[in-house]
Amino acid sequence: MKIWSISNQKGGVGKTTSVVSLGGLLADQGHRVLLVDLDPHGSLTSYFGQDPDGLERSLYHLFFEQRWRNVDYIRDTLKPTSLPNVSMLPATTSLATLERQVSGQDGMGLVLARSLAQLWDDYDYALLDTPPILGVLLVNALAACQQLVIPTQTEHLALKGLERMVHTLKMVMKSQKRELPYTIVPTLFDRRTSASLTSLKEMRRTYQGALWDEAIPVDTRLRDASHEGIFPHQLDPNTRGVRAYRHLLAQLSGEKR
């Protein structure tokens, strides 16, 4: 299983859209995909019609009574999506209380990695949708993943969040004594605005080598897909946003396009 974390310490930059878009395109290639919602807001969970306030089982419950050891429990927690070869490990709003409940307990930063290890042969890819806050959930994602994708809105304030995310990543790599490859992905790009153009230019100047050489454009069809609870390529495989995510996937996968 390949595990990618889609993370940024700022909200509204396109993390959930990136998880769904990349996951759907991987499934379209025939891969078995697991989407994991680590955000207490449950945007990914809501995307596929589940209620983060009403679920009896979620990622939250794996942190207690060593349920992460029970592969049947984990499998029973998974929810379907609009594609048969894509499943979702949902979030509940209870995740917002997790930091307080597990504070000081050993091993809480590895619960997700251990849970995914139980499903290792079930899926080809796991994509993690993370909260915009440094805490036990983001630590779990960074500990579990092999590759990090950092969506960053092409807007001045988003650059501050990107700076914090890269700083956090360097701290985690130092503490874990391992390198974690990462790709910064400009999102919500609108070439008609000076804000987008200036921000993209600043990203290229500051993060040369780590920055994807394209950008995900503003595309209302991505929002339309979320309203219908389907993957964007199911709604329109040739929309600008889907084409851009297809190019990004080719680079992340090391494929030639």
Side-chain angles (χ1 to χ4, degrees), residues 19-35 81-87 123-125 127 231 233-234 249:
V19 168
V20 172
S21 298
L22 292 171
L25 291 171
L26 283 167
D28 196 46
Q29 294 177 356
H31 297 295
R32 301 165 301 165
V33 181
L34 176 64
L35 309 181
T81 67
S82 58
L83 287 174
N85 52 337
V86 184
S87 301
Y123 297 96
D124 303 306
Y125 285 86
L127 273 59
F231 292 91
H233 79 278
Q234 290 182 290
L249 178 59

Side-chain angles (χ1 to χ4, degrees), residues 195-240:
S196 274
L197 293 169
T198 301
S199 298
L200 184 58
K201 184 178 179 180
E202 178 66 16
M203 285 187 211
R204 286 173 174 165
R205 184 184 69 81
T206 307
Y207 300 102
Q208 188 175 12
L211 185 71
W212 182 44
D213 58 6
E214 298 185 42
I216 305 296
V218 172
D219 188 344
T220 58
R221 297 296 277 168
L222 298 177
R223 189 183 308 122
D224 292 342
S226 71
H227 288 163
E228 296 194 28
I230 61 176
F231 292 91
H233 79 278
Q234 290 182 290
L235 182 68
D236 186 344
N238 295 311
T239 187
R240 291 183 306 147

